[in-house]
Amino acid sequence: MKEELKIEITSTFEQLYQTLSLFTQGEINAIPFEGSWTSGQVARHIIKSTSGLKQICDNNTQKLAVNPEEKVPALKQIFLDFSSKMNSPEFIYPEIKDYDKELLLSSIQKIEKELVYITENYDLGLTCMEFEMPGFGNLTIYELVSFAVIHTKRHIFQLTNIYKALRN
């Protein structure tokens, strides 16, 4: 379980680095089409939604009689449905400003390291009692880290579409 999750983290974040690297510094802040975020805003949203997971895992956790992976299929079904449009919760909405590509990449690298650290060093079956995901309730550490990966994959798809739109 831990090894597969670690591989999933590193391959997903490698894909994220490769996708973000396609953008020039100028393109990071370019609006590709009306109603879209810039690639910088997408990266900032990923950072805001996946930062601080170690703090959640360090807070109140409990060993409940649940399958630690139980909610992962539902998370995948919802977040990897690229035909559906979602609205971001306010607290992880990216600020409207110019972003520095290198700072974004640096922040994302720290998050990847933190996710790998959590996967290697925590009991992934513990349930995080201080955090509830809307529609899902409390998640296990495994589900929380899996969400970070699944959510990032959704936005890699979005970044690819932004890149294509800017090139057309």
Side-chain angles (χ1 to χ4, degrees):
M1 179 164 85
K2 284 185 179 233
E3 202 52 43
E4 294 88 3
L5 187 55
K6 229 170 74 173
I7 291 166
E8 193 74 15
I9 293 165
T10 53
S11 66
T12 299
F13 277 78
E14 181 57 37
Q15 193 180 0
L16 178 58
Y17 302 133
Q18 287 174 1
T19 306
L20 275 174
S21 294
L22 296 172
F23 294 89
T24 65
Q25 175 57 48
E27 289 170 336
I28 284 288
N29 297 300
I31 298 170
F33 47 86
E34 192 177 328
S36 175
W37 285 346
T38 66
S39 57
Q41 285 175 300
V42 173
R44 176 68 180 140
H45 170 72
I46 293 169
I47 291 164
K48 288 182 88 166
S49 65
T50 54
S51 296
L53 297 188
K54 186 176 176 304
Q55 291 164 305
I56 293 171
C57 297
D58 284 340
N59 275 326
N60 181 11
T61 56
Q62 291 181 13
K63 189 74 165 171
L64 302 178
V66 296
N67 169 358
E69 303 174 41
E70 182 180 334
K71 296 174 184 170
V72 173
L75 289 166
K76 284 181 178 176
Q77 183 181 0
I78 291 168
F79 286 94
L80 298 180
D81 175 2
F82 301 127
S83 66
S84 72
K85 178 108 170 89
M86 297 181 174
N87 292 318
S88 172
E90 194 61 41
F91 72 100
I92 54 173
Y93 206 85
E95 301 83 1
I96 298 170
K97 66 173 205 160
D98 282 350
Y99 290 95
D100 179 276
K101 179 180 168 181
E102 294 309 314
L103 288 175
L104 292 170
L105 287 168
S106 172
S107 294
I108 289 167
Q109 284 176 324
K110 287 179 188 151
I111 290 165
E112 178 190 9
K113 285 181 181 137
E114 183 177 86
L115 292 173
V116 168
Y117 179 84
I118 291 167
T119 303
E120 290 175 337
N121 296 289
Y122 284 70
D123 177 347
L124 302 181
L126 292 174
T127 299
C128 304
M129 305 308 291
E130 301 280 320
F131 173 77
E132 286 191 36
M133 178 170 286
F136 287 93
N138 299 101
L139 301 178
T140 62
I141 294 175
Y142 183 90
E143 291 164 337
L144 188 65
V145 172
S146 294
F147 165 74
V149 171
I150 293 163
H151 179 255
T152 299
K153 286 180 180 188
R154 179 177 184 83
H155 290 295
I156 291 168
F157 180 83
Q158 183 184 14
L159 286 166
T160 302
N161 287 338
I162 290 171
Y163 183 76
K164 287 177 189 169
L166 290 174
R167 294 295 157 146
N168 287 337

